[in-house]
């Protein structure tokens, strides 16, 4: 093998090795599913017929949201209720649906009042907290 071919093969090998993803780093979380439990639903305010939910982001910032709004990660607000807010994550994300329970409210599936996935359209899976479509 000529010297130029070996050099080209070495350069190609280096390019392939450096372009590979680090196998020890977790893949990027485009759905931001890990952040679901860090958001807090504080309650709602009703003005006329419009319900506005009040949530606290993981960074501590407050945000007012309504049904139909989209949050970071493609999360869509489905329902703003007195006791809970329901969201749907972007297509292809797991879990697909999530419920944030208002701070200080007790729930049979999770006693600390934090975020829990919710059952939708007759689907029945595990009721454990953190499991898609549970409880």
């Amino acid at each position: 093998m000529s010297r130029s071919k070996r050099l080209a093969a070495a350069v190609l090998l280096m390019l392939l090795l450096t372009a590979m993803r680090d196998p020890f780093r977790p893949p990027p979380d485009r759905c931001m599913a890990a952040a679901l439990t860090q958001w807090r639903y504080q309650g709602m305010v009703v003005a006329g017929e419009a319900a506005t939910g009040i949530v606290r982001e993981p960074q501590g910032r407050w945000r007012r949201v309504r049904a139909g709004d989209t949050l970071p990660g493609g999360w869509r607000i489905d329902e703003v209720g007195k006791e809970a807010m329901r969201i749907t994550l972007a297509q292809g994300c797991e879990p697909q649906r999530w419920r944030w329970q208002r701070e200080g409210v007790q729930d049979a599936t999770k006693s600390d009042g934090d975020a829990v996935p919710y059952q939708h359209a007759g689907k029945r899976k595990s009721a454990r907290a953190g499991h898609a479509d549970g409880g």
Side-chain angles (χ1 to χ4, degrees), residues 93-97 109 116-135:
C93 293
E94 274 297 319
Q96 182 63 46
R97 294 174 183 84
T109 59
V116 292
Y118 75 96
Q119 181 179 345
H120 182 69
K123 290 183 180 179
R124 184 68 184 158
K125 292 186 180 180
S126 172
R128 294 184 333 206
H131 191 281
D133 291 322

Side-chain angles (χ1 to χ4, degrees), residues 15 26 45-46 59 69 76 85 87 97 108-109:
L15 287 174
V45 176
V46 178
Q59 300 82 10
D69 287 355
R76 189 185 73 242
M85 176 186 294
I87 65 169
R97 294 174 183 84
T109 59

